[in-house]
Amino acid sequence: MNWANRVTLSRLALTVLFVLALNSSWQYYGVITNFGKLMDPLVDKIMMAAAFISLVPLKAVPAWAATTVVARDFLITGLRLMASAQGRVLPAERLGKQKTSWQIITVIFFLALLSMAELRYASETSTWWLRARDEAGPILVWITVALTIYSGLGFTWRNRELIAPNQ
């Protein structure tokens, strides 16, 4: 079976899981574990770092923005590792979750634009496409970068005793 057919079948399987999840009365949210507190934010960071880095060569996201996202995530992961060494778990904070939401929105926005161009629903001569890329895109990037920096500085400040204990 070729890759195109595998992708098609995978999408079918995901559709079934999607429908089952939406129609399920199973309460699976609200379960909190130490593993989840550590790994959920880490997986978010890996996914977003990969997305932002992959969008740089496509000229969708500037390299400085991707660098900021990745650097902040390394900083927070480092803090979490330092806390873990002391037997502490630093869960994700609300502002960090909002930052991740804006990162996801930004990535989806650029993926949608690139997809529309690739599928020939738009081109680099389409006025609406150019405005979306050149006007809305940078606004999303700036919002995302601002939240990335703000949430990273706040998280670092609130956990500064990990960096400089007894001060």
Side-chain angles (χ1 to χ4, degrees), residues 5-112:
N5 290 343
R6 288 179 186 160
V7 169
T8 298
L9 290 177
S10 298
R11 288 178 32 228
L12 178 61
L14 287 173
T15 301
V16 171
L17 289 174
F18 174 75
V19 171
L20 289 173
L22 282 180
N23 292 295
S24 171
S25 61
W26 179 44
Q27 297 297 319
Y28 46 88
Y29 293 113
V31 177
I32 299 171
T33 65
N34 283 340
F35 177 81
K37 286 180 192 177
L38 180 67
M39 292 306 293
D40 188 55
L42 182 61
V43 170
D44 285 344
K45 287 170 180 30
I46 292 168
M47 183 176 63
M48 284 299 101
F52 273 86
I53 290 167
S54 296
L55 287 171
V56 169
L58 299 173
K59 306 229 183 299
V61 173
W64 63 265
T67 302
T68 302
V69 168
V70 173
R72 184 258 190 216
D73 290 346
F74 273 119
L75 171 68
I76 300 307
T77 300
L79 284 174
R80 284 203 169 98
L81 289 171
M82 291 170 74
S84 179
Q86 297 175 14
R88 293 178 47 200
V89 174
L90 302 178
E93 295 179 350
R94 174 171 279 159
L95 188 57
K97 291 179 181 185
Q98 292 171 353
K99 175 265 317 170
T100 301
S101 296
W102 277 99
Q103 288 178 348
I104 291 168
I105 289 166
T106 301
V107 167
I108 290 172
F109 175 83
F110 284 110
L111 290 177

Side-chain angles (χ1 to χ4, degrees), residues 99-139:
K99 175 265 317 170
T100 301
S101 296
W102 277 99
Q103 288 178 348
I104 291 168
I105 289 166
T106 301
V107 167
I108 290 172
F109 175 83
F110 284 110
L111 290 177
L113 279 180
L114 292 168
S115 296
M116 286 180 205
E118 187 172 324
L119 295 170
R120 299 199 181 16
Y121 291 124
S123 70
E124 293 210 14
T125 59
S126 302
T127 304
W128 71 268
W129 192 89
L130 286 170
R131 288 192 72 191
R133 185 194 68 189
D134 297 341
E135 295 175 25
I139 291 169

